[in-house]
Amino acid sequence: PEKVTWRRVLDTNDRFLRKITVGQNPTEKGMERVTGFDIAVASEIMAVLALTTSLADMRERLGRMVVATDRSGNPVTTDDLGVGGALTVMMKDTIHPTLMQTLEGTPVLVHAGPFANIAHGNSSIVADQIALRAVGNDGYVVTEAGFGADIGMEKFCNIKCRYSGIDPDCAVIVATVRALKMHGGGPPVVAGKPLDHAYKSENVELASRGTCNLVRHIENARGFGIPVVVALNRFATDTEAELAAVKAAALAAGASDCVVCEHHAKGGAGAADLGNAVARVCEEARKGPSTFKFTYPVEQSLKEKIEAIATKIYGASGVSYSALAEEKIALFTKQGFGNLPICMAKTQYSFSHDVTLKGAPVGFTLPVNDVRCSAGAGFIYPLIGDMPTIPGLPTRPAYYEIDIDLETGKVLGLS
């Protein structure tokens, strides 16, 4: 039973489910094993939904998901267990995206939800295909790649684009003066606590020091051969001097444009300049052949691909592997999965594995503590540092503030 690798998922924060023992009831006849839960958005089935290109492709991907290793060291798939067809029947309606709209009537396709710090973090290929068909050759489709150019965008390019065959014409990197001040050495930002005065008063030097983080994101995006537009979201407390410093740094780093955006205050009109800038950059990109490129060829070894991401995208000087990670890499290579792309499970709070390393750290060693295989989705997924695959509640959860007014029935403490 210890060779069973399939993990259950749950859409609830519960740190006690990270490592559990199952099969203890006498009716399970000694099939006791240590396992754990993942958050639902880290489910391989979720990743399959996001990366599938058709119902037939979904059926194939669901059928080749690996759930265990047999006594001879061979992978055991869902098709081996005879459940691939039933899985597809359960998932058949999920392949259709949900059509919604923005407050101003722009159509939006909402489809799939893999987290970028654990899974690959992109909306579905099917939604992109439908949207591109709908807008025609002269239209524009905005698609999501969550959590920065080191995680979401890296996986968008190295995983999603490999399977979709679609190259982006432009990357939009969203930045704020406040976030860059944090990366420049500003005070810690703690959820639920008032924002420090440093983030609400002018400090051009602090913002400028933090632009090294934005510069790294721009360099990463341009490393894929994609032109960049920076969307600089404006807060009411941002000053013209701070915005000018960030814009200057972005343009110096090679961004095609950096546009101050006020759509939170003004709606679509507040992002019109951003839309025009993106359209201009896309039109320019379409005039010539695509310059898009991957970080690594899939033919490289698993370690070579992991190290390419660590050094070229994160800024690491090297990678260390635990004994467990070494064992898993050898097993997956032997099983024939060595040619899959890499999906790093890493914190979104730093380019490194250490959440305290802000800015653009270099020279660190990236620790790979475990490696998992998502053969159906089509990637190998290393766990970096102490990255959990199911979140836990904070020291003081929000439920302490929630109650009900017994006279009016009004819920208290939700805002």
Side-chain angles (χ1 to χ4, degrees):
E2 70 276 3
K3 296 296 184 181
V4 176
T5 55
W6 187 257
R7 294 164 65 91
R8 293 169 173 81
V9 299
L10 187 70
D11 214 15
T12 301
N13 293 0
D14 192 338
R15 68 181 70 247
F16 273 75
L17 293 178
R18 290 172 181 170
K19 188 174 182 179
I20 61 172
T21 303
V22 297
Q24 292 183 326
N25 194 293
T27 59
E28 306 313 311
K29 300 179 180 179
M31 292 294 131
E32 183 177 314
R33 65 185 176 92
V34 175
T35 182
F37 275 76
D38 292 336
I39 193 75
V41 290
S43 163
E44 184 175 358
I45 294 176
M46 175 71 82
V48 166
L49 174 63
L51 290 170
T52 195
T53 56
S54 65
L55 185 60
D57 183 52
M58 176 186 277
R59 173 63 183 86
E60 181 183 344
R61 288 175 180 273
L62 291 173
R64 69 174 187 242
M65 293 190 301
V66 175
V67 299
T69 298
D70 68 18
R71 290 187 175 90
S72 300
N74 301 311
V76 178
T77 68
T78 52
D79 268 350
D80 291 332
L81 300 181
V83 300
L87 271 172
T88 308
V89 170
M90 291 178 65
M91 294 291 292
K92 69 181 182 65
D93 292 329
T94 67
I95 199 171
H96 305 295
T98 301
L99 177 62
M100 302 182 74
Q101 64 179 355
T102 67
L103 291 175
E104 298 182 13
T106 302
V108 178
L109 291 171
V110 179
H111 201 210
F115 271 19
N117 55 352
I118 301 173
H120 69 284
N122 308 145
S123 53
S124 77
I125 290 175
V126 168
D128 288 355
Q129 292 171 329
I130 294 171
L132 287 166
R133 180 72 177 269
V135 302
N137 293 333
D138 297 325
Y140 302 92
V141 173
V142 179
T143 190
E144 181 189 11
F147 283 151
D150 58 323
I151 307 182
M153 184 181 175
E154 181 272 311
K155 297 171 184 179
F156 176 92
C157 294
N158 284 318
I159 299 175
K160 184 178 179 181
C161 289
R162 284 187 202 269
Y163 291 124
S164 71
I166 303 170
D167 299 344
D169 294 312
C170 177
V172 178
I173 296 177
V174 180
T176 65
V177 168
R178 288 183 178 181
L180 295 176
K181 283 181 175 179
M182 182 186 68
H183 282 289
V189 176
V190 181
K193 292 187 177 181
L195 199 62
D196 192 277
H197 182 68
Y199 297 106
K200 297 184 285 185
S201 58
E202 183 176 281
N203 191 328
V204 177
E205 181 183 355
L206 188 61
S208 296
R209 287 205 305 266
T211 58
C212 63
N213 181 268
L214 176 59
V215 167
R216 174 79 64 79
H217 284 294
I218 294 170
E219 291 173 346
N220 283 346
R222 295 187 71 218
F224 290 106
I226 308 171
V228 175
V229 173
V230 174
L232 184 52
N233 284 353
R234 181 172 195 163
F235 283 88
T237 54
D238 296 343
T239 68
E240 293 298 330
E242 290 172 331
L243 295 168
V246 173
K247 184 171 182 177
L251 295 176
S256 299
D257 207 342
C258 179
V259 183
V260 176
C261 303
E262 299 181 272
H263 44 282
H264 185 270
K266 300 178 181 179
D273 289 343
L274 174 64
N276 291 330
V278 171
R280 184 178 67 253
V281 170
C282 286
E283 290 305 312
E284 190 65 32
R286 291 174 181 174
K287 291 179 181 178
S290 172
T291 57
F292 179 78
K293 55 189 175 182
F294 300 117
T295 305
Y296 53 80
V298 289
E299 295 78 18
Q300 284 187 329
S301 71
L302 294 178
K303 280 191 174 183
E304 287 173 326
K305 288 179 284 195
I306 292 170
E307 287 157 18
I309 296 170
T311 56
K312 295 179 182 179
I313 303 294
Y314 301 162
S317 58
V319 179
S320 64
Y321 300 90
S322 69
L324 178 62
E326 293 276 11
E327 178 185 331
K328 294 282 194 70
I329 288 172
L331 174 65
F332 298 147
T333 302
K334 180 183 177 182
Q335 291 178 336
F337 302 124
N339 62 342
L340 292 179
I342 301 298
C343 183
M344 299 282 227
K346 183 186 79 70
T347 178
Q348 69 273 26
Y349 296 118
S350 172
F351 279 112
S352 74
H353 58 288
D354 183 349
V355 298
T356 66
L357 293 180
K358 303 300 184 183
V362 295
F364 57 91
T365 300
L366 193 76
V368 176
N369 288 346
D370 194 2
V371 181
R372 298 178 188 170
C373 178
S374 294
F379 53 72
I380 296 294
Y381 114 69
L383 276 69
I384 307 304
D386 297 322
M387 184 68 198
T389 54
I390 184 170
L393 292 173
T395 304
R396 183 173 178 80
Y399 57 64
Y400 283 116
E401 317 302 330
I402 300 172
D403 211 324
I404 190 167
D405 187 316
L406 298 178
E407 293 184 5
T408 66
K410 182 180 179 180
V411 176
L412 308 173
L414 288 182
S415 62

